[in-house]
Amino acid sequence: KNEVEQSPQNLTAQEGEFITINCSYSVGISALHWLQQHPGGGIVSLFMLSSGKKKHGRLIATINIQEKHSSLHITASHPRDSAVYICAVGDYGGSQGNLIFGKGTKLSVKP
Amino acid sequence: IAGITQAPTSQILAAGRRMTLRCTQDMRHNAMYWYRQDLGLGLRLIHYSNTAGTTGKGEVPDGYSVSRANTDDFPLTLASAVPSQTSVYFCASDSFTEAFFGQGTRLTVV
C-alpha cells in the first residue's frame, strides 16, 4: 500500500468549476506539501501545511492531522490550471530527506 | 532571482559513461535533495544532504553518488550510466516553510 494516496488520478473540468484534489497518508508527518507540475515543466511548491488551512489566490489547501487527510481546492478553475498536482509528506523531526510523494493528480481544465 | 539552477537541461549519454548533473541554489538552504521522476512511479529520493559536509541515501541510491562541499552546490554523479537511469532528475531544497525545485534534467542513457 502506498504511504501517500491521491485521488482522483485524473480529473477533467470545465472552466469555472470548483475543483477538489484529495491526499491521504498513512505515516506520521511534520508537514505536507502541495506541488504543481506543468507538462514538460519544472515543479513549483504551492503550499506547505502543518495544520489548518492556507489560501493563495484561487487556491486553498486544508489539512486534518487527526484524519491524515489534505485537500487542495481550486476555485473558478482556468485552463492555465491544467497541470499535475502532487502531494508530498515530510517528517522534519528526523532526517530532512524523508519527503514521500503521491503519484500525482493530472488536471485538465477545458475552456 | 532566488532559486535552484540545474545543468544540463537534457542529455543523451552512452551507457558506461560517467556523468555529473549540477545543482546550485542561492537561498542558503541547508537541506538539498536529488529525486528522479519516472512515469507511474512518481518522484523518488536518490540522495539528500542536511547540511554542507553531510549526505545520506534515499530510496534509490544505487549507481549514484553525491557530494556537498559547500551550502550552494549539490552535484549528482552517475559513475557508469545504465539505461535504467533514463529519467528526469530534479534537485530540490527546502527551508522548513517552502520547498524549491530546479527545472529538471532529462537524461537518456542509450
Side-chain angles (χ1 to χ4, degrees):
Chain A
K1 183 183 187 303
N2 292 328
E3 292 171 301
V4 180
E5 296 272 2
Q6 287 186 235
S7 63
Q9 286 185 311
N10 293 282
L11 181 57
T12 300
Q14 286 299 128
E15 183 173 358
E17 285 184 1
F18 180 85
I19 289 162
T20 296
I21 299 171
N22 296 299
C23 176
S24 296
Y25 53 91
S26 58
V27 295
I29 70 168
S30 298
L32 181 144
H33 298 260
W34 280 104
L35 310 169
Q36 180 191 58
Q37 185 175 28
H38 282 102
I43 298 171
V44 175
S45 175
L46 298 175
F47 295 103
M48 181 171 167
L49 293 161
S50 54
S51 65
K53 176 179 174 178
K54 285 189 177 180
K55 184 176 189 294
H56 185 257
R58 294 180 295 107
L59 301 177
I60 304 167
T62 64
I63 187 168
N64 185 317
I65 296 293
Q66 287 73 30
E67 294 185 4
K68 295 188 175 180
H69 181 269
S70 175
S71 293
L72 176 68
H73 305 286
I74 305 175
T75 62
S77 60
H78 190 276
R80 65 175 175 267
D81 297 326
S82 298
V84 175
Y85 292 84
I86 302 168
C87 171
V89 299
D91 178 5
Y92 293 102
S95 163
Q96 288 177 287
N98 280 351
L99 274 182
I100 304 169
F101 295 84
K103 298 276 192 328
T105 295
K106 185 175 181 180
L107 172 65
S108 178
V109 182
K110 306 293 186 189
Chain B
I1 297 175
I4 295 180
T5 302
Q6 289 184 235
T9 55
S10 67
Q11 181 77 44
I12 298 173
L13 185 67
R17 297 295 295 269
R18 180 184 179 90
M19 171 83 189
T20 295
L21 308 185
R22 300 186 297 278
C23 175
T24 299
Q25 54 112 350
D26 60 1
M27 298 169 285
R28 307 301 293 172
H29 290 164
N30 283 325
M32 296 187 74
Y33 316 87
W34 273 106
Y35 299 97
R36 58 178 291 172
Q37 186 178 40
D38 302 290
L39 198 62
L41 297 176
L43 284 152
R44 293 180 293 168
L45 181 67
I46 305 170
H47 285 286
Y48 66 92
S49 170
N50 288 339
T51 189
T54 69
T55 63
K57 293 182 179 180
E59 181 184 353
V60 288
D62 294 343
Y64 306 95
S65 63
V66 291
S67 62
R68 189 86 184 277
N70 56 62
T71 298
D72 298 344
D73 300 301
F74 191 43
L76 176 74
T77 297
L78 289 68
S80 179
V82 295
S84 62
Q85 291 177 311
T86 293
S87 187
V88 181
Y89 292 86
F90 287 95
C91 179
S93 71
D94 75 52
S95 65
F96 289 107
T97 58
E98 190 173 358
F100 293 84
F101 289 78
Q103 78 275 27
T105 294
R106 185 173 295 275
L107 180 66
T108 303
V109 182
V110 297

